[in-house]
Amino acid sequence: MSEFLLRLESLANMLPQRPETAIVLTLAAYFAGLRLFGWLRSPAWCPPILLAACLLAGLLALLPLDYTEYRRGVGWLTWLLGPATVALGVPLYQQLHHVRTLWKPIVLTLPPAAILAAGYAVSIAWLLDAPPTVLASLAPKSVTAPIAMGIVEELQGSVSLLMGALLITGVMATLSITLLARLGNIHDQRVIGFALGVNGHAIGTVRAFDIGPTAGAFASLGMSLTGVFTALWLPLMWHIMG
Amino acid sequence: MLSILRGFLILTAFLMLGDIIVELFALPLSSGVAGMLLLTLWLLLRRRLSHDLDAASQPLIGMLALLIMPGVVGIFFQADEFSGQWLTIFIALVLGTLLSSLTTLWLMQRLVSMSGERPHE
């Protein structure tokens, strides 16, 4: 019996180190988050990923497993982010034909819109005396998460703070574009969709698909183009500005 | 299933290619983004999307939310690092996003209505 207890103890030491523990926790929290989202009747201000992240954080806080250990264990899963980012090239290719039908407004709107999406927030934070890490973490706030994570590593910001920033930006862009379009009497799905994708990345794109397929297509186009464009100019600009 | 694996091979090969190019030319890009650009370019040149690539991309893109979750959770464990900054961060995000949304909507609406009046320009 005492031998069994000893084995139980060594198991308790070993389990937190194993990748499967981290992966089981992540997947379980993910599906629980999705279910909770359904029960709450799919609130727009609280995407399922936030619910899942809160559940996972709760689990990690309760269990004898610290965050660095968890990150090491879950590495097998997060590595897939690389091929998944490459995979974003497929929808980008599929949506590029929209550029042909409306190329002038898209080509002229994209650069200033993408630069300002980063510029306004960074300037406001800079005026309020935020440290460089915070500025670097806020800069890619309107870029879709997998691309933004790559950018923030280049700028040496905090991935975690970026994730929070992405969430607030997505929700805020969705709310403000819905409201502003109503106030400004804008009904063109292409305009609303594009604005949602450029400013609100994936969260805005989900909302655009609620409005209609045209809005959705323009939102995913706007999201992809903003991601690519920002990934090219932002790190370059950051290096130049020092 | 084999189709997904073949597609996964293509995606991972492009990721590797991205890795190589980023390292060789010291580009300020992540290898994933470089791989994505190379893949898009390749698709534009071929003008055809293979079934394998589509079969592998769809599930991976659907999994993105799951894949970024470990990063999101970090905010709960690194919150102390940014204590005293939260109000600044919140103001910058909310006000910045409101302003940029307004700019994009206004600019795009103007340009679309301009090109609508003169469609053959």
Side-chain angles (χ1 to χ4, degrees):
Chain A
M1 192 65 200
S2 67
E3 245 178 72
F4 182 76
L5 284 177
L6 271 173
R7 263 180 263 149
L8 197 67
E9 202 188 317
S10 79
L11 186 70
N13 288 328
M14 183 200 76
L15 221 46
Q17 320 259 347
R18 288 296 182 93
E20 55 266 34
T21 312
I23 291 170
V24 162
L25 289 176
T26 312
L27 284 173
Y30 178 69
F31 286 111
L34 284 185
R35 179 159 297 186
L36 194 58
F37 184 68
W39 280 341
L40 296 174
R41 292 163 191 238
S42 320
W45 50 271
C46 186
I49 172 80
L50 178 61
L51 294 170
C54 291
L55 289 173
L56 184 57
L59 278 173
L60 291 180
L62 288 174
L63 296 170
L65 174 68
D66 64 57
Y67 183 65
T68 35
E69 243 173 0
Y70 164 76
R71 271 318 281 266
R72 209 178 310 132
V74 86
W76 185 88
L77 200 64
T78 41
W79 174 81
L80 282 174
L81 207 50
T85 311
V86 177
L88 289 175
V90 172
L92 177 59
Y93 163 74
Q94 288 170 324
Q95 285 137 16
L96 273 178
H97 68 269
H98 289 299
V99 174
R100 260 165 246 158
T101 62
L102 208 66
W103 69 272
K104 210 183 265 178
I106 290 175
V107 168
L108 289 176
T109 307
L110 183 77
I115 290 173
L116 288 173
Y120 282 131
V122 172
S123 315
I124 294 169
W126 182 75
L127 286 174
L128 293 172
D129 273 335
T133 339
V134 171
L135 296 182
S137 316
L138 296 188
K141 74 178 184 62
S142 287
V143 174
T144 185
I147 301 181
M149 280 173 87
I151 298 176
V152 91
E153 275 160 24
E154 286 296 329
L155 308 187
Q156 293 170 339
S158 150
V159 173
S160 300
L161 180 55
L162 166 72
M163 288 301 160
L166 285 178
L167 206 66
I168 296 177
T169 304
V171 173
M172 188 58 204
T174 306
L175 293 176
S176 57
I177 288 170
T178 311
L179 192 72
L180 289 169
R182 203 173 296 155
L183 288 176
N185 219 5
I186 297 171
H187 302 292
D188 193 333
Q189 283 206 15
R190 298 170 303 178
V191 175
I192 298 174
F194 194 71
L196 279 168
V198 169
N199 295 289
H201 55 95
I203 298 175
T205 304
V206 170
R207 165 75 189 132
F209 274 107
D210 288 343
I211 299 175
T214 311
F218 273 83
S220 15
L221 179 70
M223 176 177 83
S224 312
L225 291 178
T226 305
V228 171
F229 181 72
T230 309
L232 295 174
W233 76 266
L234 190 58
L236 206 68
M237 191 83 158
W238 213 260
H239 283 291
I240 294 170
M241 307 261 285
Chain B
M1 185 60 207
L2 276 178
S3 184
I4 295 182
L5 268 183
R6 273 197 298 267
F8 191 70
L9 170 64
I10 301 175
L11 291 175
T12 316
F14 269 98
L15 180 63
M16 237 178 102
L17 200 62
D19 244 333
I20 294 170
I21 288 182
V22 164
E23 278 301 314
L24 271 184
F25 299 99
L27 298 177
L29 273 183
S30 75
S31 42
V33 174
M36 176 185 74
L37 292 175
L38 291 169
L39 179 70
T40 312
L41 207 64
W42 186 63
L43 288 171
L44 284 173
L45 290 174
R46 278 188 81 208
R47 293 166 156 262
R48 199 173 66 81
L49 180 64
S50 74
H51 171 69
D52 297 346
L53 202 52
D54 198 42
S57 314
Q58 298 254 7
L60 270 176
I61 293 173
M63 274 169 65
L64 274 173
L66 169 71
L67 300 181
I68 61 169
M69 239 173 76
V72 177
V73 171
I75 194 83
F76 294 102
F77 299 94
Q78 289 165 15
D80 298 345
E81 210 183 304
F82 303 108
S83 58
Q85 295 292 329
W86 292 114
L87 190 63
T88 302
I89 292 168
F90 192 73
I91 292 174
L93 287 173
V94 170
L95 201 60
T97 306
L98 184 67
L99 288 173
S100 74
S101 300
L102 184 67
T103 317
T104 314
L105 271 179
W106 176 79
L107 194 62
M108 184 77 176
Q109 175 68 28
R110 278 207 65 137
L111 289 167
V112 167
S113 55
M114 267 166 67
S115 70
E117 280 161 20
R118 284 169 288 167
H120 298 295
E121 193 179 279

